[in-house]
Amino acid sequence: MEMPLPEILDRISIVKLKIERIGEPHLKEEYEEYNKAIKEQKLRGIKIKDEWLKKLYEINGKIWDLESDIRKGKEGELGLVEVGKRAIEIRELNKQRISVKNRIIEETGLGFRDVKMNHASQ
């Protein structure tokens, strides 16, 4: 099964952030594979808007920033109130991320909508 376009765009935005922020050289190969998949979609006549990738990159960057200290185990320094605030902000950003991915599906007709049931991010 081929990876849906929204997933390709989401993943390439995350890999781009990783390359920029942590500089892992092996990620460039993964980045190129996602680029190749995007080019293949374009060759099939799929219109891919730059704004989709820009928005996913922006949202994933904000999520990265909010999670950074938590991933480093600095919850004690941040305090539970701050960790809770960040968790809520991350949930809200994930709503935006899902919205962008669903918009891509609606506009291209490719893939399946992400639908949350009884979930705070719906």
Side-chain angles (χ1 to χ4, degrees):
M1 180 174 168
E2 190 174 286
M3 186 182 298
L5 179 60
E7 291 306 314
I8 294 168
L9 296 176
D10 190 41
R11 290 181 185 205
I12 197 171
S13 72
I14 293 168
V15 170
K16 182 178 179 188
L17 285 162
K18 287 180 177 180
I19 290 169
E20 292 171 355
R21 295 184 182 200
I22 60 178
E24 288 291 326
H26 73 279
L27 292 171
K28 290 184 181 186
E29 183 178 334
E30 183 178 354
Y31 183 81
E32 287 308 314
E33 286 298 315
Y34 290 129
N35 258 327
K36 187 167 36 170
I38 291 168
K39 287 176 187 170
E40 288 171 6
Q41 295 284 341
K42 288 179 179 180
L43 288 173
R44 291 184 188 144
I46 305 301
K47 173 101 170 84
I48 299 173
K49 296 181 180 178
D50 290 337
E51 68 187 64
W52 297 336
L53 185 55
K54 287 178 187 175
K55 192 65 179 168
L56 287 168
Y57 176 82
E58 175 189 322
I59 292 167
N60 283 320
K62 289 177 182 179
I63 290 171
W64 180 304
D65 293 340
L66 289 167
E67 290 179 334
S68 179
D69 288 334
I70 296 168
R71 280 195 308 263
K72 293 175 185 171
K74 295 184 178 180
E75 298 91 349
E77 294 174 35
L78 295 171
L80 293 179
V81 171
E82 179 61 24
V83 170
K85 284 181 187 178
R86 289 180 186 211
I88 292 168
E89 286 182 64
I90 291 165
R91 183 183 68 205
E92 294 305 310
L93 287 165
N94 270 318
K95 284 183 192 179
Q96 292 175 29
R97 188 169 153 248
I98 290 167
S99 176
V100 171
K101 290 167 69 174
N102 283 340
R103 188 171 351 119
I104 295 167
I105 291 165
E106 290 166 8
E107 292 185 32
T108 64
L110 300 173
F112 300 98
R113 287 182 53 78
D114 190 347
V115 179
K116 302 292 185 191
M117 299 296 290
N118 300 319
H119 193 277
S121 68
Q122 73 188 101

